Amino acid sequence: MLDFGLLEFALLAALSGGAVYLYMYLAARRDLRRLSQSQHNETRFRDLTSLSADWFWETDAQYRTTWISGGSTVATFFGDTPTYGKRIWELPGIEVAPRALAGLRERLEAQQPFFDLEIARTDKRGARQIHIISGQSRLGAEGAFLGYRGVGRDITEQRHAEDALSQAKERLELALGGGNLAEWDYDLVTHQVYLGAGWAAFLGREHAASVTRDADLLELVHREDRPAVVASWTGAVKDKANATRTVDYRVQTEGGGWRWLRAAGRVTNRDANGRVQRMSGTVADIDHQRRAEQALRETEQRYRLLVELAPDGVLVHHDGIIEYANPAAARLFGATSPKGLIGLALEEFARPEERHRIRERLRHLKAGPGWLGFEQRHITTLDGRELVVDGAGVSFLEGERLIVQSVFRDITDQARSREAMAEREQRFRDVAEASGEFVWECDRQWRFTYLSERAETVLGFSRAEILGRRPQDFMPLGEERTVEAWLSTHAAGGSAFRDLEHRSVTKSGAAIWLSVSAVPIRDAAGAAVGYRGTAADVTARKQAEARIEYLATRDVLTGLPNRMLMGDRVGQAILAAARSRTQLALLCIDLDRFKLVNDSLGHPAGDALLRAVAERLGNTLRREDTLARLGGDEFVLLWNGLKSTEDAAALAQRVHSILARPFTVEGRSLSVGATVGIAIYPGDGRDFADLLRNADAAMYDAKESGRGTFRFFSPALHERSATRLRLENELRSALTRSELILNWHPVLKGRAVRGRGEVVGAEALVRWRHPERGLLMPEEFVPLAEECGLIRSVGEWTLDRALSQIGAWQRTLPGTPWFAINVSAAELAQGDAYYERLRGALRDNGVEGSRLELEITERVMMSHLAGNFETLRRIGGLGVRFAVDDFGTGYSSLAYLRLLPVDKLKIDKSFLRAIDSQPADEAIVRAIAALAKTLGIGIAGEGIESEAQLERLLALGCEEWQGHFFSAPLGATEFEALLHSAAGRTAATK
């Protein structure tokens, strides 16, 4: 009986491929040989003693047992089971293989002997016993068949041994096969080599053991590996210690390829003289191992190259000190080369507040081989850059040291992108939450199957009231057909749709606008089974769009048609007039004194007046006529069906009479007139643009004629407008071509005798030296500059040139003359900006503020009283004086004279032109002089043309004056000569 522990040990030895396995393998073979020998002996013994056995038996002719003898063997096998009178194979509990029983029956019928029929029985304890029986026919004296006589033998232990040996062989084969091993046995005497079945698999042959000669086997070995194989065999033969030796070599397979094998073996038998008789061992398939090792070497080489070329930074460090860096790491950390990072501490690159986390990760990696995933960090590079990086690490043993390899990736741009994306996502969520949309689902029949909670807020119904119903159930009359038509165009075939806008009725009865978008819901087969989408209340937007559409064609303030709608109406009227060969009139209406209302009462009062005018004019129109406001105080009236120009004139007079009645605005009674320009189709234009331009030109002509009247367009007006436009363009160019010049009009004090007098100052007057029209006076281009927005540029040029000249004269002229500069409303309206500009100009030119006087008309001063008061107060702090120019032609309000820092009143020349002959003018001047004296304000006259005018002016108490009686405005050189001449005469007199 085989030892199971010993067999298990042999299996373990086979797996390890060592010497112990070899020993157990030889022992197992020895046992197999012994078992085979015992079976042979048994057969031979049976042949010698044919009927000797453990027990004996006889049967009758019907094969029923008549006698059994065997003592304890029989008792053990059959137990208390009755056996007599029964066939052995039919006894309860007896097991016979069906095929063996069939063969037995055939031999019994032929009365032939049978041998080794195997029967088995399991006793009550569960122990299984196996016996074999053999028998020969038994004949009587006369040759009659009497039955059978035979023997039985217990082979239970034999079967157990055979099973154990079979299992051992199976385990051994499994071990060899599982370990990819094969055995070999080399008889050095006969030069025969026994190769196990695994060899055939290695060589690609049929799986079976074989015997070959050693020379033939050596021929299979790769030529380069044969010396190593021979050397290994030779070394084993010479080794008296019979140690196990191994050698790796390649053998050629049936397919012509090469396979790596590893042979391990030792000397197992020597003769009495110590000569080697036999060697045994195993051979293992290491082809995958060797190829894996080669692949590993190639992989390591590729890895090294990839690390060098990798875009990510790779660092190898021990205890946090860098020992290797690839080029990408050098670039990332700001080093000139990888060597520049060697020896540096990794944590030095981290921000101070993040270094503790770096140390924690390093401690984790140092605790044993392991890895840590990517984690975001902020670093400061050697060249001072602030970067965001992702870092990961893995630790491994290298010899006895624990090495950490870290990978760093620059994600600065990605981090910024993520932040921007997170911000956009948050913004999207915020917008979605604030959008007021609700989510819905419906089936194929458009019945709602799902609604989000927001639907209750939008529609007013509870979700239970809506589910199962269709959207069409909540639409107003006629809306369903509109929606169906839209869907048939934009969502044909059940496709997705966007921005379907329709009306829906809420529970309160209000009609709202919904904007609906949806995608189809499909089942597993791809068939559409409904829709899923969103809906938003866009009522406010639709109302805004309607309002925008209205505002696009309407004036916001009055609700009248604007220029665009008026152009459309005029175009339609022209087409109708052309077909009917009739005329139409276009009236351009401009309110008189509207700016005065705006300036004095404010824009709200002006807006109220415009609305009142629009209402009054609109109430007098026919249905086919159109009144529009184009902006400011300008209205346009389209009159259809005109019969003659007299009708147009009558219409203009009617407009005058309508607007002549006072308007009540904010409790005040306001009277405004209108100036009207008229253009007639088709004579004055054949489209809206021509008619409007010509009516506008006629209106401006009427304004220049004194306002409160009307004018028809004439071709001469067109030429005049063209000249005006050309002059405006030329004025713009004059500023850049230095065509503007300054003249200086002397201001005197007291009498002048024979062209001599005391010059105390001068007024700077701008002139335009036109290249074609010659020298233009201010009244010829200043109003145009005010109208087209150039007055500020003209004023800035005047201020700069005047102060530059005054600064030069301050150092060269005798005495201390002062100089006056006119200021426009546009300049004064700049407020702080004008103050800073004036202060800078005084400083840059070195002019004392007391040498400067600003002349401001009453109209300019009152245009923005509160703002102008503050600006004048600050300018007065610079020492600059103020004079009210053209006094008496505007407001002449004692209130503003008391509030504003006024130093002088300049009486307008219109009051002085006939002062020596008109008592009324003299009375006005006398009143102004008395007013100024009472308020402590200086007084001056302008436009003095004769000695008589001067005498009356001086007699009324006005000492300063200017005019052609003494001198016309002079150029800078002439004025400078005048002052030097006067100073010379004064010195000679003294």
Side-chain angles (χ1 to χ4, degrees):
M1 189 175 174
L2 294 175
D3 187 285
F4 283 92
L6 188 58
L7 289 175
E8 292 296 327
F9 188 75
L11 178 60
L12 181 61
L15 292 172
S16 64
V20 177
Y21 155 74
L22 183 60
Y23 173 77
M24 291 305 301
Y25 168 73
L26 296 175
R29 293 192 60 182
R30 184 171 61 252
D31 291 340
L32 289 173
R33 288 196 295 270
R34 288 177 179 174
L35 180 59
S36 178
Q37 186 65 34
S38 65
Q39 290 176 338
H40 176 70
N41 292 338
E42 179 183 354
T43 303
R44 185 170 54 193
F45 179 73
R46 186 176 64 241
D47 292 340
L48 294 174
T49 57
S50 59
L51 296 176
S52 64
D54 293 335
W55 53 282
F56 305 92
W57 55 270
E58 284 185 4
T59 69
D60 58 14
Q62 284 74 38
Y63 319 119
R64 292 176 296 207
T65 304
T66 57
W67 173 71
I68 290 181
S69 174
S72 61
T73 301
V74 173
T76 302
F77 183 68
F78 292 105
D80 55 0
T81 302
T83 58
Y84 290 99
K86 296 182 178 181
R87 298 178 180 89
I88 293 178
W89 55 87
E90 293 177 351
L91 293 174
I94 297 299
E95 302 171 9
V96 182
R99 292 185 61 185
L101 183 58
L104 174 64
R105 293 182 187 276
E106 291 177 0
R107 298 191 74 83
L108 292 179
E109 290 177 0
Q111 297 180 3
Q112 295 178 351
F114 63 89
F115 302 96
D116 299 336
L117 174 65
E118 187 172 302
I119 61 176
R121 183 176 181 275
T122 302
D123 60 18
K124 295 179 179 179
R125 296 173 301 170
R128 181 178 176 83
Q129 297 183 56
I130 303 172
H131 287 220
I132 58 174
I133 59 175
S134 300
Q136 290 181 344
S137 58
R138 184 165 55 87
L139 302 175
E142 297 178 357
F145 177 69
L146 301 177
Y148 271 84
R149 175 184 297 117
V151 298
R153 186 164 58 87
D154 185 356
I155 63 169
T156 302
E157 295 298 330
Q158 178 183 337
R159 282 287 187 266
H160 287 170
E162 290 174 352
D163 290 343
L165 182 58
S166 176
Q167 292 174 8
K169 289 178 64 179
E170 184 178 353
R171 284 195 295 269
L172 179 59
E173 291 175 357
L174 289 174
L176 292 173
N180 219 7
L181 300 171
E183 73 275 16
W184 57 269
D185 187 71
Y186 180 21
D187 188 340
L188 277 73
V189 177
T190 63
H191 298 284
Q192 298 290 321
V193 182
Y194 166 79
L195 301 175
W199 264 91
F202 296 159
L203 300 180
R205 301 174 180 173
E206 184 178 353
H207 193 80
S210 63
V211 177
T212 185
R213 291 186 57 80
D214 51 8
D216 296 337
L217 180 61
L218 192 60
E219 282 297 320
L220 295 175
V221 177
H222 196 283
R223 186 179 302 276
E224 296 176 0
D225 300 332
R226 289 176 190 172
V229 173
V230 173
S232 179
W233 286 354
T234 304
V237 170
K238 294 179 179 180
D239 185 7
K240 300 300 182 182
N242 297 336
T244 300
R245 291 179 174 269
T246 61
V247 62
D248 295 349
Y249 55 92
R250 287 164 289 179
V251 295
Q252 191 170 25
T253 64
E254 286 294 307
W258 297 93
R259 182 180 294 274
W260 278 98
L261 301 177
R262 173 171 293 164
R266 66 182 182 88
V267 174
T268 57
N269 187 23
R270 293 178 184 268
D271 61 12
N273 298 322
R275 292 165 54 180
V276 177
Q277 301 290 312
R278 186 177 297 277
M279 296 175 63
S280 299
T282 60
V283 63
D285 183 0
I286 61 168
D287 191 66
H288 290 299
Q289 177 184 341
R290 291 300 294 262
R291 295 184 187 279
E293 290 173 355
Q294 178 63 27
L296 179 61
R297 285 192 294 271
E298 293 174 356
T299 300
E300 288 177 350
Q301 184 177 0
R302 285 196 300 270
Y303 172 76
R304 186 176 297 106
L305 181 61
L306 288 175
V307 168
E308 291 294 318
L309 298 177
D312 295 333
V314 178
L315 297 178
V316 176
H317 48 94
H318 174 64
D319 287 337
I321 305 301
I322 299 173
E323 297 182 350
Y324 166 80
N326 70 339
R331 293 191 297 269
L332 178 63
F333 286 89
T336 56
S337 68
K339 292 182 179 179
L341 297 176
I342 307 303
L344 299 180
L346 184 60
E347 70 174 43
E348 291 179 0
F349 293 95
R351 288 181 178 178
E353 64 270 19
E354 294 184 359
R355 290 179 181 175
H356 71 284
R357 179 58 181 164
I358 297 291
R359 289 190 286 268
E360 286 181 5
R361 287 170 65 87
L362 288 177
R363 281 196 297 270
H364 175 82
L365 293 173
K366 288 169 63 177
W371 68 277
L372 287 173
F374 280 99
E375 189 171 280
Q376 183 173 306
R377 286 287 170 266
H378 296 80
I379 65 170
T380 302
T381 63
L382 294 176
D383 53 5
R385 290 174 296 141
E386 296 288 337
L387 299 180
V388 181
V389 299
D390 255 354
V394 58
S395 59
F396 55 89
L397 287 173
E398 186 180 84
E400 297 181 355
R401 300 195 316 156
L402 190 68
I403 299 298
V404 177
Q405 178 174 303
S406 298
V407 177
F408 294 93
R409 182 175 300 150
D410 184 359
I411 61 166
T412 305
D413 293 338
Q414 295 93 315
R416 291 172 183 164
S417 299
R418 284 198 298 267
E419 291 175 1
M421 185 177 297
E423 183 179 352
R424 288 195 297 270
E425 289 178 354
Q426 183 61 44
R427 190 158 53 239
F428 174 78
R429 286 194 293 269
D430 294 342
V431 169
E433 292 177 2
S435 65
E437 294 185 350
F438 65 86
V439 181
W440 58 270
E441 290 183 8
C442 68
D443 59 17
R444 187 181 287 106
Q445 285 73 40
W446 291 95
R447 293 188 297 262
F448 285 118
T449 57
Y450 169 78
L451 289 162
S452 65
E453 187 176 354
R454 176 68 181 170
E456 297 182 348
T457 304
V458 174
L459 300 175
F461 294 94
S462 67
R463 283 178 284 180
E465 294 175 295
I466 303 175
L467 292 175
R469 301 176 66 182
R470 305 183 310 144
Q472 292 86 336
D473 297 340
F474 301 91
M475 295 180 186
L477 187 64
E479 192 74 8
E480 182 176 354
R481 288 194 299 272
T482 303
V483 171
E484 289 177 353
W486 190 95
L487 289 174
S488 65
T489 303
H490 297 84
S495 61
F497 61 87
R498 290 182 60 83
D499 301 328
L500 163 61
E501 294 181 350
H502 68 82
R503 291 175 297 158
S504 185
V505 180
T506 66
K507 190 172 185 177
S508 64
I512 64 173
W513 280 94
L514 294 178
S515 177
V516 183
S517 299
V519 294
I521 304 174
R522 302 189 182 277
D523 58 16
V529 295
Y531 273 99
R532 176 186 297 118
T534 60
D537 183 355
V538 295
T539 306
R541 176 170 65 80
K542 296 293 287 187
Q543 292 173 345
E545 289 174 353
R547 176 65 175 166
I548 291 171
E549 183 178 356
Y550 175 82
L551 294 178
T553 58
R554 296 285 174 170
D555 173 55
V556 179
L557 181 63
T558 62
L560 294 176
N562 60 10
R563 181 184 296 269
M564 182 175 70
L565 182 56
M566 187 62 168
D568 180 68
R569 298 274 180 89
V570 172
Q572 295 178 22
I574 289 174
L575 291 176
R579 287 193 298 267
S580 61
R581 298 181 179 275
T582 58
Q583 294 180 313
L584 59 86
L586 194 70
L587 281 68
C588 191
I589 305 169
D590 188 81
L591 300 182
D592 298 334
R593 295 183 297 278
F594 176 74
K595 189 173 184 345
L596 178 62
V597 175
N598 253 353
D599 293 343
S600 58
L601 302 180
H603 289 285
D607 293 344
L609 177 60
L610 290 174
R611 287 191 291 268
V613 170
E615 182 180 3
R616 187 176 292 183
L617 289 175
N619 290 335
T620 63
L621 297 180
R622 302 172 301 176
R623 177 177 298 179
E624 61 268 24
D625 302 325
T626 302
L627 176 67
R629 176 173 176 255
L630 304 189
D633 59 349
E634 186 176 354
F635 294 83
V636 174
L637 175 60
L638 169 64
W639 191 267
N640 288 294
L642 187 69
K643 297 179 180 179
S644 65
T645 56
E646 288 76 11
D647 288 346
L651 177 61
Q653 291 172 348
R654 183 181 175 191
V655 169
H656 281 141
S657 62
I658 290 172
L659 299 181
R661 299 194 307 270
F663 291 89
T664 301
V665 176
E666 296 182 352
R668 293 183 176 89
S669 180
L670 302 178
S671 295
V672 294
T675 301
V676 180
I678 306 171
I680 306 297
Y681 171 84
D684 298 335
R686 293 185 174 274
D687 58 24
F688 174 64
D690 288 343
L691 290 173
L692 180 62
R693 181 180 62 252
N694 294 336
D696 195 58
M699 183 267 294
Y700 273 105
D701 182 58
K703 274 184 174 291
E704 292 177 358
S705 300
R707 302 176 183 271
T709 185
F710 66 89
R711 288 285 187 276
F712 283 96
F713 173 76
S714 65
L717 291 180
H718 181 72
E719 179 63 28
R720 184 176 176 182
S721 297
T723 302
R724 184 184 183 89
L725 178 61
R726 184 172 61 254
L727 188 63
E728 177 183 334
N729 293 332
E730 291 172 347
L731 179 58
R732 294 181 188 276
S733 301
L735 292 169
T736 60
R737 293 199 298 258
S738 301
E739 294 177 359
L740 299 182
I741 61 173
L742 281 181
N743 281 174
W744 302 87
H745 202 183
V747 178
L748 292 86
K749 184 176 183 180
R751 287 180 171 78
V753 180
R754 297 176 184 176
R756 299 176 181 178
E758 182 184 357
V759 178
V760 295
E763 180 182 1
L765 300 174
V766 65
R767 302 286 189 265
W768 180 6
R769 187 183 290 110
H770 194 280
E772 298 176 0
R773 300 175 59 184
L775 192 65
L776 301 182
M777 296 295 106
E779 58 269 18
E780 296 181 84
F781 65 87
V782 168
L784 178 63
E786 290 179 338
E787 184 178 328
C788 66
L790 290 174
I791 190 62
R792 183 178 297 178
S793 298
V794 173
E796 291 175 356
W797 180 90
T798 302
L799 179 65
D800 291 340
R801 291 301 178 90
L803 287 181
S804 175
Q805 182 63 68
I806 294 170
W809 280 342
Q810 189 172 265
R811 295 184 294 273
T812 60
L813 287 181
T816 56
W818 50 264
F819 301 91
I821 300 175
N822 290 280
V823 181
S824 67
E827 292 176 278
L828 198 60
Q830 296 178 74
D832 292 342
Y834 181 74
Y835 165 78
E836 294 296 336
R837 181 176 181 81
L838 177 61
R839 186 178 68 165
L842 289 171
R843 180 188 64 247
D844 295 342
N845 293 285
V847 177
E848 298 174 1
S850 60
R851 303 289 290 272
L852 183 64
E853 182 178 280
L854 299 182
E855 293 189 4
I856 309 170
T857 65
E858 292 176 288
R859 180 178 60 84
V860 169
M861 191 175 295
M862 295 300 295
S863 59
H864 297 88
L865 184 59
N868 291 343
F869 173 78
E870 179 61 24
T871 302
L872 294 176
R873 185 190 64 77
R874 296 187 66 193
I875 294 175
L878 301 174
V880 177
R881 296 175 298 158
F882 303 102
V884 179
D885 198 12
D886 300 335
F887 186 78
T889 60
Y891 291 84
S892 302
S893 171
L894 293 177
Y896 87 79
L897 291 176
R898 179 169 50 85
L899 294 174
L900 295 175
V902 176
D903 298 289
K904 184 188 295 183
L905 301 179
K906 291 190 67 175
I907 303 172
D908 187 67
K909 60 185 177 181
S910 63
F911 298 120
L912 301 178
R913 186 175 297 115
I915 190 175
D916 57 335
S917 61
Q918 292 293 335
D921 290 345
E922 181 179 345
I924 291 173
V925 174
R926 181 182 291 107
I928 294 174
L931 174 64
K933 183 177 181 181
T934 302
L935 295 176
I937 300 174
I939 187 171
E942 59 181 347
I944 302 302
E945 304 293 335
S946 66
E947 185 176 358
Q949 292 174 346
L950 177 60
E951 290 297 330
R952 293 306 303 158
L953 182 66
L954 294 176
L956 293 174
C958 180
E959 294 188 351
E960 288 187 3
W961 59 277
Q962 64 189 91
H964 284 73
F965 174 66
F966 177 76
S967 171
L970 304 173
T973 303
E974 291 83 357
F975 178 74
E976 186 175 351
L978 174 66
L979 259 64
H980 280 296
S981 174
R985 288 194 298 272
T986 301
T989 302
K990 291 182 178 180

